[in-house]
Amino acid sequence: MDLNRDDVLILFDVDGTLTQPRQPITEEMEKFLYQSVLSRATLGLVGGSDLEKMCEQFKGREFLQKFDYVFPENGLVQYELGKEMGKMSISKHLGEDVLQRFINYCLHYIADLELPIKRGTFIEFRNGMLNVSPIGRNCTTEERNQFLEYDNEHHVRRTMIERLKEKFSEMDLTYSIGGQISFDVYPVGWDKTYCLNHIAKRKNPFREIHFFGDKTYQGGNDYEIFTHPQTIGHRVVSPDDTRKQLAELLKL
């Protein structure tokens, strides 16, 4: 690639792309990004999780100074060079009455589900979205893996999404499956492509924007940005695959 650092932006999903789902980034990946990649390209993160969970996976807040852009919650919260630049609010956008009606329906639906196990925190409220987990976010890594296997066979999340689409058809909402145990709900257009609005404010536009993600299939939370005309999408299956493809792209 015959481009300098200011010409190219590389955006990364987090879970399944730079880290294993909800696991800390490895020292090997950190070294690769910060010592080999950072000098060759502008770096950005765009994840579905909130900043607190990102900090857990990147071992503190120092990564905010390493990455040029950090976009928690699909880019509805924006950090540039470590400084918060803005955020959106789903509660203000939808209104409290609509939000409560939606949350109440989800909780009733989950209460009636028969699953091998259930834990706690079935709905997590974030600035720009709701994260809905039929098993509950308070499950262990082993229980996450078990639910994913069960969901792949019984389509728990997909079925719940179809019911929500029918029940709340008048609401312009997007439903996006990401990770192992949950799905995100947010207003149409508030997917990961939202971060491109912030990037577009840059004085000197990037010549290329690359995106690396694993949930790039339709309905996955990387699909919209992976297929966006402004980005060059790279589908990966693991952090190791990300490293391999990135090394090839940058000729490292």
PDB file of all heavy atoms in Angstrom, residues 1 32 34 85 135 139 176 178 182 196 206 229:
ATOM      1  N   MET A   1       0.845  -1.191   0.000  1.00  0.00           N
ATOM      2  CA  MET A   1       0.000   0.000   0.000  1.00  0.00           C
ATOM      3  C   MET A   1       0.878   1.238   0.000  1.00  0.00           C
ATOM      4  O   MET A   1       1.665   1.450   0.924  1.00  0.00           O
ATOM      5  CB  MET A   1      -0.908  -0.004   1.247  1.00  0.00           C
ATOM      6  CG  MET A   1      -1.756   1.249   1.387  1.00  0.00           C
ATOM      7  SD  MET A   1      -2.728   1.233   2.905  1.00  0.00           S
ATOM      8  CE  MET A   1      -3.866  -0.068   2.541  1.00  0.00           C
ATOM      9  N   PHE A  32       1.452  -5.862  18.071  1.00  0.00           N
ATOM     10  CA  PHE A  32       1.288  -5.783  16.622  1.00  0.00           C
ATOM     11  C   PHE A  32       0.651  -4.455  16.215  1.00  0.00           C
ATOM     12  O   PHE A  32       1.124  -3.777  15.300  1.00  0.00           O
ATOM     13  CB  PHE A  32       0.439  -6.957  16.137  1.00  0.00           C
ATOM     14  CG  PHE A  32       0.133  -6.935  14.670  1.00  0.00           C
ATOM     15  CD1 PHE A  32       1.125  -7.139  13.729  1.00  0.00           C
ATOM     16  CD2 PHE A  32      -1.161  -6.699  14.220  1.00  0.00           C
ATOM     17  CE1 PHE A  32       0.848  -7.115  12.370  1.00  0.00           C
ATOM     18  CE2 PHE A  32      -1.457  -6.674  12.869  1.00  0.00           C
ATOM     19  CZ  PHE A  32      -0.443  -6.882  11.944  1.00  0.00           C
ATOM     20  N   TYR A  34       0.274  -1.522  18.060  1.00  0.00           N
ATOM     21  CA  TYR A  34       0.930  -0.294  18.494  1.00  0.00           C
ATOM     22  C   TYR A  34       2.345  -0.131  17.950  1.00  0.00           C
ATOM     23  O   TYR A  34       2.812   0.993  17.750  1.00  0.00           O
ATOM     24  CB  TYR A  34       0.954  -0.228  20.022  1.00  0.00           C
ATOM     25  CG  TYR A  34      -0.422  -0.263  20.661  1.00  0.00           C
ATOM     26  CD1 TYR A  34      -0.607  -0.771  21.947  1.00  0.00           C
ATOM     27  CD2 TYR A  34      -1.553   0.205  19.989  1.00  0.00           C
ATOM     28  CE1 TYR A  34      -1.862  -0.800  22.541  1.00  0.00           C
ATOM     29  CE2 TYR A  34      -2.807   0.167  20.566  1.00  0.00           C
ATOM     30  CZ  TYR A  34      -2.950  -0.338  21.844  1.00  0.00           C
ATOM     31  OH  TYR A  34      -4.196  -0.377  22.428  1.00  0.00           O
ATOM     32  N   MET A  85     -16.108  13.698  22.000  1.00  0.00           N
ATOM     33  CA  MET A  85     -16.533  14.735  21.072  1.00  0.00           C
ATOM     34  C   MET A  85     -18.054  14.853  20.962  1.00  0.00           C
ATOM     35  O   MET A  85     -18.560  15.825  20.414  1.00  0.00           O
ATOM     36  CB  MET A  85     -15.952  14.452  19.678  1.00  0.00           C
ATOM     37  CG  MET A  85     -14.440  14.311  19.656  1.00  0.00           C
ATOM     38  SD  MET A  85     -13.574  15.773  20.246  1.00  0.00           S
ATOM     39  CE  MET A  85     -13.887  16.897  18.889  1.00  0.00           C
ATOM     40  N   ILE A 135     -30.453 -14.872  27.577  1.00  0.00           N
ATOM     41  CA  ILE A 135     -29.856 -15.647  28.672  1.00  0.00           C
ATOM     42  C   ILE A 135     -29.468 -14.739  29.836  1.00  0.00           C
ATOM     43  O   ILE A 135     -29.408 -15.177  30.986  1.00  0.00           O
ATOM     44  CB  ILE A 135     -28.613 -16.435  28.177  1.00  0.00           C
ATOM     45  CG1 ILE A 135     -28.025 -17.297  29.291  1.00  0.00           C
ATOM     46  CG2 ILE A 135     -27.576 -15.532  27.591  1.00  0.00           C
ATOM     47  CD1 ILE A 135     -26.801 -18.085  28.890  1.00  0.00           C
ATOM     48  N   CYS A 139     -23.686 -14.115  32.602  1.00  0.00           N
ATOM     49  CA  CYS A 139     -23.312 -15.520  32.428  1.00  0.00           C
ATOM     50  C   CYS A 139     -21.796 -15.641  32.285  1.00  0.00           C
ATOM     51  O   CYS A 139     -21.111 -14.677  31.944  1.00  0.00           O
ATOM     52  CB  CYS A 139     -24.022 -16.128  31.219  1.00  0.00           C
ATOM     53  SG  CYS A 139     -23.807 -15.199  29.695  1.00  0.00           S
ATOM     54  N   SER A 176     -29.921  -5.935  15.478  1.00  0.00           N
ATOM     55  CA  SER A 176     -28.628  -6.398  14.979  1.00  0.00           C
ATOM     56  C   SER A 176     -28.024  -7.413  15.938  1.00  0.00           C
ATOM     57  O   SER A 176     -27.793  -7.109  17.113  1.00  0.00           O
ATOM     58  CB  SER A 176     -27.691  -5.193  14.817  1.00  0.00           C
ATOM     59  OG  SER A 176     -26.450  -5.591  14.313  1.00  0.00           O
ATOM     60  N   GLY A 178     -25.112  -9.397  17.461  1.00  0.00           N
ATOM     61  CA  GLY A 178     -23.661  -9.265  17.619  1.00  0.00           C
ATOM     62  C   GLY A 178     -23.216 -10.072  18.823  1.00  0.00           C
ATOM     63  O   GLY A 178     -23.960 -10.245  19.787  1.00  0.00           O
ATOM     64  N   SER A 182     -26.511 -11.839  22.685  1.00  0.00           N
ATOM     65  CA  SER A 182     -27.439 -10.713  22.708  1.00  0.00           C
ATOM     66  C   SER A 182     -27.680 -10.154  21.312  1.00  0.00           C
ATOM     67  O   SER A 182     -27.093 -10.603  20.329  1.00  0.00           O
ATOM     68  CB  SER A 182     -26.890  -9.606  23.621  1.00  0.00           C
ATOM     69  OG  SER A 182     -25.674  -9.098  23.093  1.00  0.00           O
ATOM     70  N   LEU A 196     -19.111   7.189  10.619  1.00  0.00           N
ATOM     71  CA  LEU A 196     -18.596   7.839   9.412  1.00  0.00           C
ATOM     72  C   LEU A 196     -19.005   9.306   9.351  1.00  0.00           C
ATOM     73  O   LEU A 196     -18.330  10.115   8.709  1.00  0.00           O
ATOM     74  CB  LEU A 196     -19.078   7.092   8.162  1.00  0.00           C
ATOM     75  CG  LEU A 196     -18.655   5.624   8.055  1.00  0.00           C
ATOM     76  CD1 LEU A 196     -19.288   4.975   6.820  1.00  0.00           C
ATOM     77  CD2 LEU A 196     -17.137   5.486   8.010  1.00  0.00           C
ATOM     78  N   PHE A 206      -9.843  11.081   4.258  1.00  0.00           N
ATOM     79  CA  PHE A 206      -9.007   9.905   4.018  1.00  0.00           C
ATOM     80  C   PHE A 206      -9.193   9.431   2.583  1.00  0.00           C
ATOM     81  O   PHE A 206     -10.306   9.472   2.047  1.00  0.00           O
ATOM     82  CB  PHE A 206      -9.382   8.773   4.978  1.00  0.00           C
ATOM     83  CG  PHE A 206      -9.034   9.049   6.409  1.00  0.00           C
ATOM     84  CD1 PHE A 206     -10.012   9.380   7.325  1.00  0.00           C
ATOM     85  CD2 PHE A 206      -7.714   8.974   6.841  1.00  0.00           C
ATOM     86  CE1 PHE A 206      -9.698   9.638   8.647  1.00  0.00           C
ATOM     87  CE2 PHE A 206      -7.382   9.237   8.161  1.00  0.00           C
ATOM     88  CZ  PHE A 206      -8.372   9.571   9.066  1.00  0.00           C
ATOM     89  N   PRO A 229     -20.549   2.103   0.896  1.00  0.00           N
ATOM     90  CA  PRO A 229     -19.729   2.502  -0.252  1.00  0.00           C
ATOM     91  C   PRO A 229     -18.475   3.295   0.116  1.00  0.00           C
ATOM     92  O   PRO A 229     -17.542   3.364  -0.680  1.00  0.00           O
ATOM     93  CB  PRO A 229     -20.688   3.354  -1.100  1.00  0.00           C
ATOM     94  CG  PRO A 229     -21.805   3.730  -0.192  1.00  0.00           C
ATOM     95  CD  PRO A 229     -21.929   2.633   0.789  1.00  0.00           C
TER      96      PRO A 229
END
